[in-house]
Amino acid sequence: MTETVEDSREADTRVAWRPVLLVTGVVAVLHLAVAARYGWHRDEFYYVITGRHPAWGYVDQPPLTPVLARLAAALPGGVLPLRVLAVAAEAGCVLLGAKLAAELGGRRRAQLVTAAAVAACPAFVAASALFGTTVVDQLCWLAVTVATARALRLGTIPAWLLAGLLAGVGLENKDTIAALLVGIGLGLLITRRSMLRTPGPWLAAALALLIALPNVLWNASYSWPWPDVRMAGVLSGRSGSALTQVPELLLLLTGPPLLVLAVIGVRRLCSGAGRPHRWLLVVALTAVVFIAVTSGKSYYAAPMLPGLFAAGAVRVEAANTRDGRRSWPIAIAATAVFAIVIGLPVFPPKITNSIGLSSTVMETYGWPEYVRQIVSVADRYPAGTVIFTSNYGEAGALTTLGPAEGLHNPVSSGHNAYGFWGPPPGGDATVLCVGEFTSGYLRQFWSQVTEIAPLTLPDGLSNEETEKHAAIYSCRQPHGSWAQLWPGLAHLG
């Protein structure tokens, strides 16, 4: 059988599957070993609950992650099925990192260095500690990046349609992937303009927009500013300035050894040898400009790092120095240890809390204790007494874990999507308010406010709830019905 040109091109970019799968397997085992060690994260509760309210969008996210979270939560094992999804996404990023290196011309060593760099990158390790839009976004970014590199190499319409399909799926998960798509478009315009005279990229863009259209129409069904625009404005105001976000991206989310690899990748892409793949450099610059202009969180841009890692690994492989063959495995392994220590629940909660390793990790600890404290108070009130919480984490924990503790009270919140779903019916004379409230705030809505007890963790540990003095309040004599109070209680954040 005669080999086609396309078959020959595919053969030139084959992945060294055996060693790459070995790296991926080690990553999966390490993550799964501690996946459910502490417990749920507030965001995971929220994704599951939003998934139980099927829609083409929510005020703070498109529908993909909530749908996946709902399906995973229906399986036995509590939070573990969600964490398995997170680990699977992380493993997919590692595999795609190796494939990206292959697309850039890297052989076995370059593929292994890239796969290991992605696996060791603190931004990727920390994201996979819980299931949410971030870890899925990383997978989607890498999938689209690899598919685009492949489409540029093959130049066929099916290859471009695959990239468009993956981009559309990514847009149904998190809007920030738009930064990648803009970067790809600018990259083609600047470095591969001839490709824009072919139908492939345009068909890919049309397919991506078609898949994203239901979420766009859902947003457009609300008055301007659309829900996701309002949410973006709130988040940008809380993320800090570009002066803090960009250095954090370069150092904390990458780690010094991987930052060196990324710089080597930039040099490769700026060289003559890297010219065919220089669009990756435009993607990286676009991502950094995106977080700088929007004051977005630094980890939004982290998925662009594997492109620089892959380019750097190709250059390292080409240099083939004896010192490099020894130093890079050690440097990447050291980064991996650092990332695991700061990003995963490897220590007992008391140690993690005392040395302040990760606020995100501590946010996965203590929810059953909080729920039991709330249930012990709710038992003193009629079963129909509404529990109103300050944030979606508290509401989600009570809804998810409360029934097993004997809680049968209706639970509501004004936070994010909960605020869009509207108030409970009626105008209860007594409400239990739970969370990061102050008595002064609650008195805007109820005349009589009494703090019953603060929410606490065992052994004097602390996380966001205790640091902000979350407590249980009894609130009586409302200043109107729920419908009348709701415009003041609903909020984004």
Side-chain angles (χ1 to χ4, degrees):
M1 183 179 294
T2 304
E3 184 182 55
T4 66
V5 173
E6 185 170 328
D7 290 336
S8 176
R9 289 176 179 175
E10 289 286 7
D12 290 340
T13 58
R14 283 179 294 197
V15 177
W17 286 116
R18 187 171 297 179
V20 169
L21 286 172
L22 179 60
V23 172
T24 307
V26 171
V27 169
V29 169
L30 288 174
H31 281 70
L32 288 173
V34 296
R37 186 174 186 188
Y38 285 8
W40 291 78
H41 188 275
R42 69 174 69 238
D43 290 354
E44 291 169 319
F45 289 127
Y46 182 54
Y47 297 133
V48 172
I49 301 302
T50 51
R52 293 174 184 170
H53 293 74
W56 280 111
Y58 305 94
V59 63
D60 42 7
Q61 64 208 337
L64 180 59
T65 290
V67 169
L68 294 176
R70 177 187 178 180
L71 294 174
L75 300 174
V79 74
L80 183 59
L82 279 80
R83 299 292 169 78
V84 170
L85 279 182
V87 174
E90 166 77 353
C93 290
V94 174
L95 293 174
L96 287 169
K99 176 60 176 171
L100 184 57
E103 289 292 339
L104 270 57
R107 303 297 183 181
R108 181 178 183 275
R109 185 157 175 259
Q111 294 170 24
L112 282 174
V113 168
T114 306
V118 174
C121 182
F124 284 80
V125 172
S128 63
L130 58 113
F131 179 71
T133 54
T134 299
V135 71
V136 177
D137 188 47
Q138 291 176 344
L139 180 64
C140 291
W141 271 63
L142 262 168
V144 173
T145 303
V146 170
T148 301
R150 180 175 178 270
L152 285 168
R153 174 171 54 84
L154 297 178
T156 63
I157 288 179
W160 277 109
L161 289 178
L162 175 60
L165 172 65
L166 295 171
V169 172
L171 287 168
E172 289 290 1
N173 172 69
K174 194 173 175 70
D175 294 334
T176 51
I177 199 172
L180 168 65
L181 304 183
V182 170
I184 291 174
L186 291 174
L188 296 183
L189 182 63
I190 296 171
T191 70
R192 303 288 292 270
R193 191 171 301 177
S194 61
M195 186 59 67
L196 294 177
R197 292 193 286 270
T198 66
W202 301 104
L203 290 173
L207 180 58
L209 291 174
L210 181 64
I211 296 172
L213 185 60
N215 180 249
V216 174
L217 293 177
W218 179 87
N219 274 279
S221 67
Y222 292 88
S223 60
W224 185 264
W226 292 351
D228 59 355
V229 174
R230 275 182 273 167
M231 191 70 207
V234 172
L235 293 178
S236 66
R238 295 170 53 188
S239 298
S241 68
L243 294 177
T244 60
Q245 296 298 305
V246 174
E248 181 178 294
L249 172 67
L250 296 177
L251 293 174
L252 182 59
L253 299 187
T254 308
L258 298 188
L259 179 56
V260 172
L261 183 64
V263 171
I264 294 174
V266 171
R267 293 180 60 190
R268 166 79 181 186
L269 294 172
C270 290
S271 70
R275 185 179 181 84
H277 311 293
R278 198 167 293 167
W279 60 275
L280 285 169
L281 185 57
V282 180
V283 166
L285 290 172
T286 302
V288 173
V289 170
F290 168 74
I291 65 167
V293 171
T294 65
S295 295
K297 297 178 181 178
S298 57
Y299 63 78
Y300 290 171
M304 63 82 176
L305 293 170
L308 303 183
F309 294 161
V314 171
R315 187 179 180 111
V316 167
E317 181 180 56
N320 196 31
T321 63
R322 183 175 180 181
D323 289 342
R325 289 194 298 271
R326 292 178 177 178
S327 61
W328 279 110
I330 296 173
I332 292 175
T335 303
V337 171
F338 169 75
I340 290 170
V341 166
I342 68 168
L344 298 180
V346 294
F347 296 115
K350 195 167 186 177
I351 294 177
T352 301
N353 195 214
S354 64
I355 57 181
L357 286 175
S358 172
S359 59
T360 300
V361 169
M362 283 307 298
E363 286 304 302
T364 66
Y365 178 77
W367 290 106
E369 286 79 7
Y370 290 146
V371 169
R372 283 192 284 270
Q373 291 170 58
I374 297 166
V375 170
S376 68
V377 173
D379 283 343
R380 308 173 204 166
Y381 293 80
T385 301
V386 171
I387 300 178
F388 181 77
T389 73
S390 66
N391 64 57
Y392 58 62
E394 298 145 355
L398 289 168
T399 303
T400 305
L401 306 179
E405 300 293 337
L407 182 69
H408 303 292
N409 302 63
V411 177
S412 185
S413 179
H415 189 201
N416 289 7
Y418 279 92
F420 269 62
W421 297 331
D428 299 52
T430 301
V431 175
L432 288 177
C433 290
V434 176
E436 303 160 5
F437 294 119
T438 64
S439 296
Y441 171 81
L442 293 174
R443 288 195 180 96
Q444 298 177 48
F445 308 97
W446 291 273
S447 293
Q448 184 179 336
V449 176
T450 305
E451 180 175 338
I452 299 173
L455 294 179
T456 59
L457 289 177
D459 302 319
L461 302 183
S462 64
N463 59 18
E464 184 176 333
E465 294 290 310
T466 59
E467 289 171 357
K468 294 184 178 180
H469 187 68
I472 307 170
Y473 298 85
S474 173
C475 299
R476 304 174 187 272
Q477 300 175 19
H479 300 166
S481 66
W482 276 112
Q484 292 170 322
L485 299 179
W486 203 249
L489 291 170
H491 63 283
L492 300 177

